[in-house]
Amino acid sequence: LILVITVLATTNGGRGHGSNYLQPLSIGLAIFVIHLVVAPFTGSGINPARSLASNIFSENGIGGDFFVYIFGPLLASLVGGLLYEFFFSPHYNKAHQKLNGQEMDDI
């Protein structure tokens, strides 16, 4: 969820920021922080493909947590996209419009 919001926020062209070197840096820092926080609980398995493959090819076969690796990322991306669209994006749009309005008044 945090990674989805970070990617959407850094790649949104409507925020008035051009492409620069900080976009991949902020995404990388988000992944780093997620690894620091999640590692004690899950072994830092934020890659669903790796976690799903190790679950499928384990000695026990497909376990009961098989569906977590499928529906977890889908649900997090859906919630993150909606949260960004309806909570964060209007804030940035209002700030951008206000900034543009101030620039027009100064001319």
Side-chain angles (χ1 to χ4, degrees), residues 6-25:
T6 303
V7 169
L8 290 174
T10 57
T11 60
N12 184 2
R15 289 185 58 197
H17 301 290
S19 297
N20 58 22
Y21 65 93
L22 291 177
Q23 290 175 338
L25 180 66

Side-chain angles (χ1 to χ4, degrees), residues 30-107:
I31 292 172
F32 175 70
V33 169
I34 291 169
H35 279 294
L36 287 178
V37 172
V38 176
F41 304 109
T42 66
S44 195
I46 67 169
N47 183 355
R50 186 201 61 81
S51 302
L52 181 62
S54 63
N55 190 1
I56 291 174
F57 295 111
S58 69
E59 292 179 11
N60 301 334
I62 296 175
D65 55 352
F66 172 75
F67 294 104
V68 172
Y69 300 118
I70 295 173
F71 293 116
L74 292 175
L75 183 64
S77 63
L78 179 67
V79 169
L82 291 173
L83 186 66
Y84 181 78
E85 183 67 29
F86 294 111
F87 185 71
F88 293 113
S89 189
H91 167 72
Y92 292 123
N93 289 337
K94 288 178 187 175
H96 189 63
Q97 289 171 356
K98 183 178 178 182
L99 179 65
N100 286 340
Q102 287 176 351
E103 289 175 357
M104 294 301 285
D105 292 339
D106 292 340
I107 295 178

